[in-house]
Amino acid sequence: MRCGFCLPACPTFKETGLEAESPRGRISLMKATVDGLMEPGIRFEDQMNHCLGCRACEPACPADVKYGQLIEQAREAIEMHTVHHRPWIKVVRKLMFKQVFPHQNRMKLLGKGLRLYQKTGLQAVVQKTGVVGLFSKDLANMERILPEASSNGIVEQLGTRVPAKGVKIATVGMFRGCLMDVLFTETNRKTVMLLSEAGFEVIIPPTQNCCGALHAHAGEMNQAKVQAKNNILAFQEANVDYIVSNAGGCGAILVEYDHLLHDEPDWHESATWFAKRVKDISTILIEKGRSLKFVEALSDDQPLNVTYQDSCHLKNVIKASNSPRTLLNGVGNVKFTEMKDAGSCCGSAGIYNVTQPAMANQILDHKMVNANATGAQYIVTSNPGCLLQMKSGIDKHGADKSVQAVHIVDFLYDRMVKN
């Protein structure tokens, strides 16, 4: 199929208008390489890495081409054969992908280090001197908007089991994530509280680890499979009815563990068991939970103008774009304003805004034009990467600096009537 329906859905094609920057173009490059018509050199690698992996092309494709699987296979092949990485990049990749992200205890140490950096005054000194900006202006911008880190994750705060409020509807397993548990610990805690309030007993398996999404997107497929197997075993042992994610990027690979392990027959049954139980927090609250009660507005309160930025993977892979909007429209004193192209990528895409800052910033510039046009006081999203990207957008392009970017869990919990 070469119809081109994917072209207008692709963020990089919309920015450049180049065929090679489209899903159709990249698939042609992959095929030409496989057929021996071209050598997979540095230009081929750059084009594969220039893809955001947002998978907006998949819902647009009438032939149901699994582009996400193709790009991950291409990146895996590149990592197996590439000789173009600079030595320091190889060291950093090996350190983060194999020695840090897969190990929760090491992530806690990272959180502790970041917290000391933020609380001892060192961060203020660094920002005042602008030393980070000497290396990278984009990295300096990201450092400035980092949330408060923590070495005490959700298990340390709440334990491994939180009972349901009232009559129990079901038992759910909370997927805490790696970066979520270090940089967004409060969001994780509020996720558990929302689930409990909605009638779910929450189990947080302590042996779970990173979902493997960053590994898979970077071509580290073997390590992604190791992560998947550990998580499957952890949640099977907990014997939960559902597995809940509050991060669109994590949820997208969790729901595809059956595909990730498709070439390992011994894991087929377990991976299928896991994948069919994965639910985004918004979806399970709408489909299975008791209705949450929210604080009523005072008569003289002006409605809060709220808009929503879709997580690409939540929308295009998990197919859960309606539930967040339903929840937001159910909150009293809220005026929901739909953003133009809310489903288009914000430019975060995992670590894309770090590895491809020029294109990421170009996409973010256009996103902020649409966000500012809503006049919203709150930009709500359902993924940590999107949240940081929108915070960066407000910092750089916000018409009103008082606008807040918030995770939907935080927005809902802060307005919920607590029993």
Side-chain angles (χ1 to χ4, degrees):
M1 290 293 289
R2 299 181 180 179
C3 63
F5 276 86
C6 59
L7 271 62
C10 176
T12 53
F13 178 80
K14 286 194 290 186
E15 293 296 330
T16 66
L18 298 176
E19 175 72 15
E21 293 274 10
S22 71
R24 183 175 69 179
R26 291 188 178 104
I27 291 173
S28 295
L29 291 174
M30 295 176 206
K31 188 174 187 303
T33 301
V34 171
D35 292 342
L37 300 178
M38 65 176 286
E39 289 294 321
I42 186 65
R43 293 181 66 185
F44 173 81
E45 293 178 24
D46 287 345
Q47 195 50 258
M48 296 304 108
N49 291 330
H50 219 216
C51 172
L52 290 131
C54 69
R55 295 172 66 172
C57 51
E58 292 186 17
C61 180
D64 195 28
V65 172
K66 304 299 184 185
Y67 175 82
Q69 296 173 14
L70 295 175
I71 192 68
E72 288 183 356
Q73 290 168 6
R75 287 172 174 171
E76 181 184 19
I78 287 171
E79 288 308 311
M80 290 172 62
H81 302 288
T82 185
V83 294
H84 300 296
H85 281 326
R86 296 175 184 174
W88 70 268
I89 293 179
K90 290 183 178 180
V91 171
V92 171
R93 282 177 65 97
K94 183 176 181 180
L95 175 65
M96 298 307 295
F97 285 143
K98 295 186 178 181
Q99 302 301 324
V100 179
F101 288 136
H103 305 282
Q104 201 66 25
N105 288 336
R106 294 174 190 176
M107 288 299 300
K108 291 177 186 177
L109 286 176
L110 177 63
K112 186 175 182 179
L114 283 172
R115 185 167 179 82
L116 287 173
Y117 168 73
Q118 293 170 333
K119 294 297 183 181
T120 58
L122 180 58
Q123 183 181 36
V125 172
V126 168
Q127 291 180 352
K128 187 174 182 180
T129 59
V131 65
V132 179
L134 296 176
F135 298 95
S136 168
K137 182 179 178 182
D138 296 296
L139 191 61
N141 290 335
M142 292 302 296
E143 186 273 341
R144 190 167 58 252
I145 61 167
L146 275 180
E148 189 172 297
S150 173
S151 60
N152 293 319
I154 191 67
V155 170
E156 288 77 17
Q157 293 190 27
L158 298 178
T160 59
R161 184 182 296 265
V162 176
K165 296 283 185 71
V167 178
K168 184 177 80 171
I169 294 173
T171 299
V172 301
M174 163 73 180
F175 187 79
R176 66 184 176 186
C178 52
L179 287 173
M180 282 296 297
D181 215 36
V182 169
L183 292 178
F184 300 92
T185 315
E186 268 298 285
T187 302
N188 271 359
R189 185 185 70 82
K190 291 175 181 178
T191 298
V192 174
M193 295 296 99
L194 282 176
L195 289 166
S196 175
E197 198 74 31
F200 300 105
E201 178 186 30
V202 185
I203 296 177
I204 311 161
T207 56
Q208 63 178 292
N209 54 209
C210 170
C211 65
L214 291 177
H215 300 83
H217 300 332
E220 302 279 351
M221 298 303 291
N222 287 335
Q223 187 62 46
K225 291 177 181 180
V226 171
Q227 304 298 103
K229 292 173 184 177
N230 288 341
N231 284 326
I232 290 169
L233 292 175
F235 283 90
Q236 276 190 322
E237 185 178 349
N239 193 30
V240 295
D241 300 309
Y242 302 100
I243 299 163
V244 178
S245 168
N246 59 8
C250 295
I253 193 168
L254 296 177
V255 80
E256 292 189 338
Y257 270 2
D258 52 345
H259 167 72
L260 182 64
L261 299 172
H262 73 279
D263 58 351
E264 300 194 33
D266 292 345
W267 283 91
H268 174 74
E269 184 177 348
S270 294
T272 301
W273 177 92
F274 185 100
K276 72 179 183 180
R277 282 168 171 76
V278 175
K279 295 279 187 182
D280 179 69
I281 175 65
S282 298
T283 301
I284 199 166
L285 289 176
I286 290 292
E287 293 182 354
K288 307 292 182 181
R290 283 196 296 270
S291 296
L292 299 173
K293 296 180 180 179
F294 297 97
V295 176
E296 293 293 330
L298 299 175
S299 58
D300 57 347
D301 279 354
Q302 292 294 319
L304 295 174
N305 191 358
V306 176
T307 193
Y308 182 74
Q309 164 60 26
D310 283 287
S311 155
C312 293
H313 288 113
L314 190 63
K315 176 179 183 289
N316 301 322
V317 182
I318 307 178
K319 307 293 193 297
S321 60
N322 291 330
S323 297
R325 290 169 168 81
T326 301
L327 287 168
L328 291 172
N329 278 307
V331 178
N333 200 39
V334 163
K335 173 193 173 187
F336 181 78
T337 303
E338 188 68 46
M339 186 194 310
K340 180 183 177 182
D341 292 334
S344 66
C345 189
C346 63
S348 171
I351 57 173
Y352 187 92
N353 52 358
V354 176
T355 60
Q356 304 286 341
M359 179 58 72
N361 286 332
Q362 192 172 328
I363 291 170
L364 179 60
D365 292 348
H366 294 152
K367 175 63 66 175
M368 288 310 301
V369 170
N370 294 334
N372 290 335
T374 67
Q377 298 156 276
Y378 288 88
I379 303 174
V380 181
T381 189
S382 302
N383 187 59
C386 301
L387 178 57
L388 291 179
Q389 186 77 338
M390 298 313 296
K391 284 180 179 291
S392 177
I394 293 169
D395 184 56
K396 291 189 288 187
H397 305 292
D400 181 354
K401 299 299 182 183
S402 68
V403 173
Q404 298 182 51
V406 297
H407 194 288
I408 189 169
V409 164
D410 298 315
F411 187 85
L412 295 173
Y413 180 85
D414 292 345
R415 289 157 183 80
M416 182 181 70
V417 176
K418 285 81 172 179
N419 294 324

